[in-house]
Amino acid sequence: MLDACAELLDEAGYEALSTTRIAERAGVAIGSVYQFFPDKRAITQELTRRNVEEFVRRVDRRFLEEDYRGWWEAVDVIIDIYVDMHRTVSGFKSLHFGDVVDLNLLDSDSDNNTVIAGRLRGLFLKEFGLADSAALDLAVLVGVEAGDAVLKLAFRRDPDGDPEIIDAAKHLIRGFLSRQLKSWSPH
């Protein structure tokens, strides 16, 4: 059902999505949809959770498989993973991290980008030994918000993501975080 939802989102967008269309695409009875999801918002919420988990899994995997000289290289990898998922994961380009549907789709108390920032902050603390602080929280949150906005621009200008704007997003976020974290490397 989630895969059917993702396909339909990519084809027609959230407004045209319905539980009936999802059931038809998934080849299940409408009652089966309602057994698990009360409405289309609940289905897109679960799809968003799946996408976020896949994003974090991919980031974790890359962090385990590769060595980085510092967090600044990790920023590029995180953006590359986001761009790849936008290009290859059904439903991701329509939902991103759920903000298209609801800013609080992932957590009723925090907006979606705050949830993502928290997950990335945890990775930075674990992988790079950055000092845990309110300043780090704010820096990562602003970096996520800025990156989200600029990457959306890249995909509005080019369905595959404008390479110059993607590169600009990397420079913007690295530059901002380097000033906030005081640990910039010229590489």
Side-chain angles (χ1 to χ4, degrees), residues 79 82 141-153 169 172-173:
I79 290 172
Y82 178 95
L141 178 60
V142 171
V144 166
E145 289 286 346
D148 184 50
V150 176
L151 291 171
K152 284 178 182 168
L153 171 63
L172 173 80
I173 295 167

Side-chain angles (χ1 to χ4, degrees), residues 120-186:
L120 293 177
R121 178 188 158 279
L123 288 171
F124 282 153
L125 289 171
K126 183 175 89 175
E127 295 294 324
F128 301 108
L130 299 176
D132 193 6
S133 67
L136 176 63
D137 292 348
L138 181 62
V140 174
L141 178 60
V142 171
V144 166
E145 289 286 346
D148 184 50
V150 176
L151 291 171
K152 284 178 182 168
L153 171 63
F155 284 97
R156 281 196 315 267
R157 296 195 84 195
D158 179 337
D160 288 326
D162 184 306
E164 288 182 273
I165 294 177
I166 292 167
D167 191 50
K170 291 176 181 181
H171 288 289
L172 173 80
I173 295 167
R174 285 190 316 241
F176 171 75
L177 289 176
S178 70
R179 288 186 296 279
Q180 302 307 307
L181 303 177
K182 309 287 191 244
S183 61
W184 174 252
S185 169

